[in-house]
Amino acid sequence: MVKTQNRPILVVMAAGMGSRYGGLKQIDPVGPHGEAILDYSLYDARRAGFETVVFIIKPEIDEAFRQSVGARAETAGLTVRYAYQTLDRLPAGFAVPEGRQKPWGTAHAVLAAADQIDAPFAVINADDYYGPTGFRLIHDHLAAACAGPDAPAPWAMVGFLLGNTVSANGSVSRGVCQLDEHSRLVQVTERTRIEKRGDGIAYTEDGGASWVPLPADAVVSMNLWGFTPDFVDRARAGFAAFLTENLPKNPLKCEYYLPSVVTAALEASDAAVTVLTSPDRWHGITYREDKPELMEALARMSREGLYPQDRLF
């Protein structure tokens, strides 16, 4: 068994293709001094107490990523590790479908980093701005799991209010959460097309023929999770079954999501997930039209003192 570190680590999923955005948004400059959106997450994570970061990337962007975000992370004092998400990382007996280009999803990304995960870990998207609160909440929760083998903390998720996470420029995918009376997660339902509609928010599952309203204060997952290392074993155990079920139906686009692994563990009563709700507003660049709004928000937060007036690193 791998010896567990005494501090939680941060795992960053940065292998997404950015098809809707139309570019390599993981390293696209958005800050007042050319910072990428991920630089803000690294800054917030570092001041929350994280000391080690694992970047999950595609081999094709390795050099550009190391020379930009990776180098700045090292300047910030973080220990940096790399893992590579490739299509051919599949269980025995499975092959990449002809024509498949899309990565296998967020749970597969974590599996790609299995060799680098030796402690309780937080996992985030590279292209979402989470704000400082979420990183403090998840770090403090995970720190309890580093106390020793006899004191594991349950899994956790930082939830955001749906109204703080939607884009004015198109649809978004969100994991809509159901909580119990103790703020424990009951289930996550992935909604792949959520939009602002008039004064409200709604989702569709039939291409827009019908819409179902969602409350603005619904708690949603933005893939800011906290796990103990046993999550990797759980994800690995379920991947073959996922492929068996979904490859015949959707060979080019099916994805193995983190929430589906969590839901399976909850249904089997194998995990407890504490939901830590952040009031911070999400910002991202799902679409190119989101970029000006994000840049203004980051500049404003720098003027207000949330971030340095000069460079982050």
Side-chain angles (χ1 to χ4, degrees):
M1 179 178 293
V2 177
K3 184 179 179 181
T4 299
Q5 293 187 162
N6 60 0
R7 292 183 180 275
I9 63 178
L10 178 67
V11 175
V12 179
M13 299 181 294
M17 298 181 68
S19 57
R20 288 180 293 181
Y21 178 65
L24 195 59
K25 58 185 175 179
Q26 294 94 333
I27 59 176
D28 195 24
V30 294
H33 303 284
E35 297 91 345
I37 192 169
L38 178 52
D39 291 325
Y40 288 88
S41 290
L42 296 175
Y43 182 86
D44 288 333
R46 184 68 184 91
R47 61 178 170 174
F50 289 96
E51 297 181 354
T52 298
V53 58
V54 179
F55 291 119
I56 306 169
I57 61 176
K58 295 185 296 186
E60 300 94 304
I61 69 170
D62 182 60
E63 182 177 359
F65 196 96
R66 286 176 182 264
Q67 292 179 358
S68 55
V69 176
R72 293 196 291 272
E74 291 176 347
T75 300
L78 288 161
T79 298
V80 179
R81 305 173 184 174
Y82 291 92
Y84 302 94
Q85 186 179 15
T86 57
L87 289 177
D88 60 354
R89 295 182 70 113
L90 295 172
F94 293 91
V96 180
E98 184 177 357
R100 173 93 189 198
Q101 296 184 0
K102 191 175 186 65
W104 291 109
T106 52
H108 179 261
V110 171
L111 288 178
D115 292 344
Q116 303 297 332
I117 295 173
D118 56 2
F121 64 101
V123 58
I124 65 169
N125 295 330
D127 51 5
D128 287 313
Y129 170 84
Y130 295 98
T133 303
F135 288 100
R136 290 198 300 268
L137 289 170
I138 204 69
H139 176 273
D140 291 349
H141 184 90
L142 290 173
C146 295
D150 297 325
W155 296 353
M157 183 199 79
V158 175
F160 289 78
L161 303 179
L162 176 61
N164 287 341
T165 74
V166 291
S167 170
N169 301 304
S171 64
V172 295
S173 296
R174 298 288 180 259
V176 181
C177 303
Q178 178 184 345
L179 313 184
D180 68 15
E181 65 274 18
H182 304 294
S183 294
R184 292 289 181 92
L185 187 64
V186 175
Q187 67 177 19
V188 182
T189 303
E190 196 73 19
R191 302 298 183 192
T192 57
R193 186 178 170 185
I194 299 175
E195 296 182 10
K196 287 186 174 181
R197 294 184 61 79
D199 295 331
I201 304 170
Y203 72 89
T204 182
E205 294 183 328
D206 54 14
S210 62
W211 292 87
V212 180
L214 285 170
D217 62 353
V219 176
V220 297
S221 165
M222 299 299 297
N223 276 336
L224 177 42
W225 294 93
F227 297 118
T228 44
D230 61 300
F231 175 85
V232 177
D233 296 329
R234 163 67 69 171
R236 183 182 292 114
F239 191 30
F242 167 84
L243 293 171
T244 298
E245 179 182 354
N246 290 279
L247 277 181
K249 299 183 290 187
N250 193 7
L252 300 185
K253 293 186 177 181
C254 64
E255 294 185 69
Y256 189 39
Y257 293 118
L258 285 172
S260 67
V261 180
V262 173
T263 298
L266 292 176
E267 291 175 346
S269 299
D270 286 342
V273 182
T274 300
V275 178
L276 311 164
T277 303
S278 171
D280 291 345
R281 183 171 182 80
W282 168 91
H283 290 280
I285 44 176
T286 304
Y287 302 93
R288 283 198 176 274
E289 294 82 359
D290 294 331
K291 185 175 178 179
E293 178 184 346
L294 169 64
M295 294 180 71
E296 172 54 33
L298 294 173
R300 172 178 49 79
M301 286 185 277
S302 293
R303 293 193 299 269
E304 294 173 350
L306 186 59
Y307 297 104
Q309 292 273 357
D310 52 2
R311 299 188 66 90
L312 292 178
F313 308 130

